[in-house]
Amino acid sequence: MNIHPLFVHFPIALLSIYGFFEIIRIKAWQNTTWIRPLKTALIIIGVTFAYISLSTGELAEHALNDRSLRDLVEKHAFFADIATYLFLFPAIAYLFEGVLATSFATKIPEMIKGIMVWYSTKLMIAPLRVMLAFLGVLAVFITGALGGAIV
């Protein structure tokens, strides 16, 4: 039984909505208390479901009997990998920011905390997050189009 279709729509929706909020930077939203937790939840849950979708996609690919679809499936899998990794890097930054904002941060060694701060504030600056979100959403759409062609 192919369970891949049960999972693929979650990362498509969650990561597309995250991308919308990251790309369309409405100034009134940026100053609210709800935007950062929302983007954090969308990207972390979206990337988690993307990895589940990658795993179930691998299972579906191994069960594929129609050899004529092999090239199309490989392209679909390639863009799914690209989309997942494009969203993974900002997801780690949002995860680090969330952890650093909790009381658990006091238990993290200073060197590790410094790396987390550097990654989330110096490396993953807003323009880079916007670019990764744009490219990620583009990769999600290409992946979805190829998936639709396979079906």
Side-chain angles (χ1 to χ4, degrees):
M1 180 176 149
N2 182 10
I3 61 171
H4 183 62
L6 299 173
F7 293 100
V8 296
H9 298 97
F10 290 104
I12 292 170
L14 296 170
L15 295 174
S16 295
I17 295 168
Y18 161 78
F20 170 79
F21 281 117
E22 197 68 75
I23 296 165
I24 311 298
R25 301 181 76 78
I26 297 174
K27 197 170 269 263
W29 290 351
Q30 301 308 316
N31 299 325
T32 63
T33 58
W34 57 267
I35 192 71
R36 183 157 302 280
L38 176 64
K39 289 195 298 187
T40 301
L42 287 169
I43 195 165
I44 290 173
I45 297 168
V47 167
T48 301
F49 271 101
Y51 275 103
I52 294 169
S53 296
L54 288 177
S55 298
T56 59
E58 286 289 322
L59 295 173
E61 182 179 1
H62 293 305
L64 183 66
N65 294 325
D66 190 349
R67 299 289 169 209
S68 66
L69 294 175
R70 184 66 60 197
D71 286 340
L72 195 56
V73 169
E74 288 298 323
K75 286 179 183 143
H76 173 72
F78 173 76
F79 280 102
D81 287 339
I82 295 294
T84 302
Y85 289 114
L86 285 170
F87 285 113
L88 176 64
F89 295 110
I92 292 169
Y94 278 102
L95 182 64
F96 285 172
E97 289 171 2
V99 168
L100 291 170
T102 66
S103 61
F104 180 74
T106 59
K107 296 176 177 46
I108 300 172
E110 288 302 314
M111 185 178 92
I112 303 295
K113 195 184 306 182
I115 292 169
M116 292 169 71
V117 168
W118 172 81
Y119 183 86
S120 61
T121 61
K122 303 286 190 253
L123 182 63
M124 293 303 299
I125 56 175
L128 181 58
R129 290 184 195 203
V130 171
M131 183 184 70
L132 289 172
F134 177 78
L135 293 173
V137 168
L138 183 62
V140 166
F141 288 154
I142 292 170
T143 303
L146 291 169
I150 292 167
V151 172

